[in-house]
Amino acid sequence: MTDPRTDSTDVVLDNDVAIDHGGAGDLHAVKRTGQLGSNVRSVIKHILMIAAALLMIYPLLWMLVSSFRPTEEIFRDSGLVLTSLHLENYTEGWTALQYPFSRYLINSMILVLGCILGNVISCSLAAYAFARLRFKFKNIFFAIMLLTIMLPMHVIIVPQYILFSQFGWVNTFIPLVLPKLLATDAFFVFLMVQFIRGLPKELDEAARIDGCGHWKIFSRVIMPLMTPAIATTVIFTFIWTWNDFFSSLIYLTSPEMFTVPLALKSFLDSTGGSNWGAMFAMSIVSLIPVFLVFLFGQKFLIRGIATTGIK
Amino acid sequence: MSALSELGKLRGRGKEETPDNVAGYLFLLPWLIGLVVITIGPMLASLYLSFTDYSLLAPPEWIGAKNYERMLNDPRLLNSLRVTFTYVFVSTPLQLALALGIAVLLNQGMRGLPFYRSVFYLPSLMGSSVAIAILWRQIFGTSGLVNQVLMAVGFRDLPGWISDPNTALGTIILLHIWTFGSPMIIFLAGLRQIPTMYYEAAAVDGASKWTQFWKITMPLLSPIIFFNLVLQIIGAFQSFTQAFIVSGGTGGPSDSTMFYTLYLYQKGFAQFDMGYASAMAWLLLIIIGVFTALNFFVSKYWVFYDD
């Protein structure tokens, strides 16, 4: 997606250049000196941008490189050049806790899959109702749904905890997955409502004439067309659940149930923050899935953010 | 475009054709159950609990407004409010200004836009993770990356940034600013909606770039800036993970990173003072509500709606 303006051969139309040279002046002069000035400016701009990008990404690159260094070296070397590959951090970190790190990865993965399934099913059902059906109090419910997007979870966490602990669900994944099955991530309902509204209504009507009820219209017509919105939901649910710390901290108490963020936290607690090599190694392991999702799902991430303002 | 503008549009919508009540409520059922059981029920329960003394062990005991009185006289709570306000009102404007600035630069026909956009966006995806908070602990530690670099250029006797009460909060603010990528993407999408002919016309009239920014970009982008501002402020009030990990769960040194949510967690889930924690949660809701309302009120004076 390069901006069409950069490819413009007519320099006068390039607002960058026209602005630099006072605009209203002699257009021919702008054309001649503008070309040179814009090149210099563009080079400076790129150098500054690359510097900024490097500064932004440096901590991540440095953590990656440092995860292959012995801990003493991490405190000495602020550069990115590796002299040797110290893989012990990874083997040591993997087995440093009560269970091998794979256990926590699997726990996180189960949780993520449960939340994805919950969000996709429950949010798309609610979104279809809001976008296509007419029923009493719809507008009031829709307004409430939008308001819950802004509701801080801390207001409900205490009674929710009491409720779930009375059911004996503390230290299970139920308190973390059940809310997703009940469409409490209203952001995704909103995202899908917006998407369904963009689909032509004639499709529904054609299906209705063919004798389809609402369920068939939803499952055979709308759902297949909604894949981009579902992909965005899947990707954001993945990243939010994978990174989530607060709910797991409250609900998951014994090590065999720990998710990756809790494992990292207990690693930090148990070493008192001294074994940086192994800690960085496991931090990198924990970021790999996020990075992969970023790499392959970027299109959906960016579209999702741009259209709904999700984080 | 946004959830906020949707709310405004609702008022004008009238009745149409035949209703399908049964199907509507069937499709809405999971959400409705969630609304009652997961959201409204617990909200009312926490309102009730906020007027009780409750420690999970014995049944809640009604104590009237005592929890709220206690909050007014709790120096640690007042301090946590100060810390949280500092965090929210320093980091949000800085983060949004940076996001806007970079978005405007990238939008000026910059080659390689997708590359820069990706690099600037990546930290937003990782910023809320424990892994990055751990990294931050190292980077701003006494012999961390920042001090290594500073020593290399000649500085001596450097503090441990996270162990000094004067700078610890600053490192967490910096972490928040570092995740400017997601508002930047929203700004980029907004900037693309502004017709280039506006700039061309202004340039022909001799408007400088600076003037163009203030007279064209800012007014046309103001609804999006407003939208970002509201959401980022609401989000920032609820920050938890970074302060928890960077301070090892203590909110230290000397409560300098004791975020409101961290104190709420300590009261509710470490000391099981559930009544007090519920009262704290309601105060948070009120604070967020007041600032959101204030934002909407002030927006009348600076947000420009085209239609």
Side-chain angles (χ1 to χ4, degrees):
Chain A
M1 273 217 295
T2 48
D3 192 305
R5 275 180 278 153
T6 47
D7 303 329
S8 165
T9 42
D10 189 347
V11 181
V12 183
L13 277 181
D14 188 327
N15 64 30
D16 248 11
V17 178
I19 298 151
D20 291 345
H21 298 275
D26 180 6
L27 287 182
H28 293 289
V30 172
K31 201 162 191 165
R32 266 182 275 110
T33 58
Q35 190 79 66
L36 188 71
S38 102
N39 282 344
V40 173
R41 272 179 58 95
S42 152
V43 167
I44 292 172
K45 217 152 72 176
H46 273 284
I47 290 172
L48 286 175
M49 272 295 170
I50 288 170
L54 195 67
L55 186 69
M56 284 286 292
I57 213 80
Y58 196 88
L60 291 174
L61 293 175
W62 183 76
M63 177 158 74
L64 177 65
V65 171
S66 294
S67 73
F68 294 105
R69 284 175 179 150
T71 297
E72 321 82 70
E73 214 175 292
I74 293 176
F75 285 103
R76 279 200 313 266
D77 199 339
S78 53
L80 293 179
V81 183
L82 268 178
T83 45
S84 65
L85 215 56
H86 187 75
L87 290 170
E88 285 85 341
N89 287 336
Y90 283 85
T91 51
E92 203 184 308
W94 197 268
T95 53
L97 292 170
Q98 192 179 342
Y99 295 92
F101 210 77
S102 52
R103 172 96 197 200
Y104 311 117
L105 289 168
I106 291 168
N107 281 346
S108 271
M109 210 44 103
I110 293 170
L111 184 63
V112 162
L113 287 178
C115 290
I116 287 178
L117 212 63
N119 269 344
V120 168
I121 295 170
S122 67
C123 295
S124 61
L125 286 170
Y128 179 74
F130 281 129
R132 283 295 203 254
L133 302 176
R134 261 166 259 109
F135 51 91
K136 249 189 156 172
F137 307 122
K138 175 169 137 178
N139 284 356
I140 297 171
F141 282 137
F142 193 62
I144 292 174
M145 189 271 291
L146 293 178
L147 283 174
T148 58
I149 294 177
M150 294 163 225
L151 184 77
M153 70 172 303
H154 307 92
V155 181
I156 54 177
I157 193 75
V158 168
Q160 210 187 73
Y161 177 85
I162 296 165
L163 180 77
F164 287 144
S165 70
Q166 266 158 9
F167 284 132
W169 288 346
V170 169
N171 208 27
T172 69
F173 290 148
I174 300 171
L176 305 174
V177 177
L178 186 69
K180 314 289 174 191
L181 275 165
L182 300 173
T184 47
D185 274 356
F187 239 135
F188 299 122
V189 179
F190 177 66
L191 175 95
M192 292 179 185
V193 167
Q194 293 291 76
F195 194 87
I196 297 174
R197 278 178 183 167
L199 297 174
K201 271 212 166 122
E202 288 75 23
L203 292 170
D204 303 33
E205 273 147 30
R208 194 182 306 236
I209 289 164
D210 288 349
C212 290
H214 284 301
W215 175 253
K216 273 204 171 144
I217 296 176
F218 168 73
S219 59
R220 303 269 172 86
V221 181
I222 301 290
M223 277 301 261
L225 290 172
M226 219 165 62
T227 35
I230 292 173
T232 306
T233 304
V234 168
I235 288 170
F236 275 103
T237 308
F238 187 108
I239 289 172
W240 288 354
T241 314
W242 190 265
N243 285 343
D244 173 64
F245 177 62
F246 188 65
S247 336
S248 336
L249 180 67
I250 284 169
Y251 286 116
L252 303 176
T253 46
S254 70
E256 83 259 17
M257 297 302 289
F258 276 7
T259 54
V260 170
L262 284 183
L264 287 177
K265 181 219 164 233
S266 61
F267 196 176
L268 192 66
D269 290 345
S270 65
T271 58
S274 57
N275 193 353
W276 287 104
M279 218 139 57
F280 275 0
M282 290 307 104
S283 295
I284 290 291
V285 168
S286 82
L287 290 175
I288 288 172
V290 178
F291 185 72
L292 289 178
V293 169
F294 164 78
L295 214 58
F296 295 108
Q298 229 196 115
K299 193 176 73 182
F300 295 106
L301 283 170
I302 285 171
R303 196 188 294 159
I305 300 166
T307 55
T308 64
I310 301 185
K311 271 216 207 176
Chain B
M1 156 83 205
S2 69
L4 293 179
S5 54
E6 274 297 313
L7 271 175
K9 270 192 266 163
L10 277 176
R11 263 176 271 138
R13 227 168 261 163
K15 293 230 158 133
E16 305 150 58
E17 304 149 55
T18 46
D20 11 38
N21 280 321
V22 177
Y25 281 101
L26 277 177
F27 274 93
L28 212 55
L29 197 61
W31 178 81
L32 272 174
I33 297 173
L35 182 69
V36 174
V37 177
I38 307 285
T39 310
I40 293 184
M43 265 183 86
L44 295 176
S46 83
L47 185 61
Y48 164 71
L49 286 177
S50 75
F51 293 100
T52 67
D53 183 14
Y54 184 43
S55 62
L56 277 187
L57 300 168
E61 186 192 333
W62 183 268
I63 53 166
K66 281 224 181 78
N67 283 327
Y68 291 93
E69 277 168 43
R70 229 178 101 197
M71 285 199 299
L72 290 176
N73 299 311
D74 181 348
R76 293 192 82 192
L77 182 134
L78 297 176
N79 170 66
S80 77
L81 277 175
R82 194 184 53 77
V83 169
T84 307
F85 277 107
T86 312
Y87 172 75
V88 171
F89 294 109
V90 172
S91 66
T92 310
L94 286 175
Q95 189 210 36
L96 288 184
L98 191 62
L100 181 61
I102 302 269
V104 167
L105 281 177
L106 284 179
N107 194 52
Q108 287 173 353
M110 190 101 183
R111 251 173 252 270
L113 168 78
F115 168 75
Y116 291 117
R117 192 177 50 192
S118 299
V119 170
F120 289 134
Y121 177 54
L122 187 60
S124 289
L125 281 182
M126 301 179 164
S128 68
S129 68
V130 170
I132 293 300
I134 286 177
L135 172 65
W136 232 247
R137 246 178 100 132
Q138 202 287 340
I139 288 181
F140 290 100
T142 313
S143 32
L145 179 61
V146 166
N147 281 354
Q148 286 172 51
V149 174
L150 288 176
M151 299 241 291
V153 293
F155 284 92
R156 289 292 172 267
D157 299 323
L158 291 157
W161 304 92
I162 58 161
S163 48
D164 183 336
N166 294 316
T167 52
L169 181 58
T171 64
I172 302 175
I173 290 177
L174 213 58
L175 174 49
H176 188 63
I177 297 171
W178 187 58
T179 62
F180 72 86
S182 57
M184 178 199 75
I185 285 184
I186 303 176
F187 285 140
L188 271 172
L191 286 169
R192 290 194 164 251
Q193 307 288 319
I194 303 177
T196 41
M197 61 176 190
Y198 289 177
Y199 295 104
E200 285 153 14
V204 170
D205 288 346
S208 72
K209 215 161 206 186
W210 186 245
T211 315
Q212 288 183 24
F213 176 77
W214 287 106
K215 300 280 173 176
I216 300 173
T217 310
M218 279 305 268
L220 289 176
L221 210 59
S222 60
I224 294 168
I225 298 175
F226 171 63
F227 168 71
N228 265 330
L229 191 67
V230 170
L231 281 191
Q232 292 294 338
I233 286 181
I234 293 174
F237 267 116
Q238 301 174 58
S239 296
F240 175 80
T241 307
Q242 292 84 358
F244 185 96
I245 295 294
V246 167
S247 72
T250 63
S254 6
D255 279 354
S256 63
T257 61
M258 181 62 99
F259 281 29
Y260 192 80
T261 52
L262 187 47
Y263 193 50
L264 193 155
Y265 168 80
Q266 289 188 353
K267 282 289 170 195
F269 296 95
Q271 300 166 17
F272 292 100
D273 195 346
M274 295 286 195
Y276 194 63
S278 296
M280 281 187 71
W282 272 87
L283 180 64
L284 180 66
L285 181 67
I286 292 165
I287 291 173
I288 290 178
V290 165
F291 277 101
T292 307
L294 208 67
N295 239 325
F296 271 90
F297 179 73
V298 175
S299 76
K300 274 190 282 189
Y301 300 99
W302 70 274
V303 177
F304 169 80
Y305 288 102
D306 210 3
D307 39 40

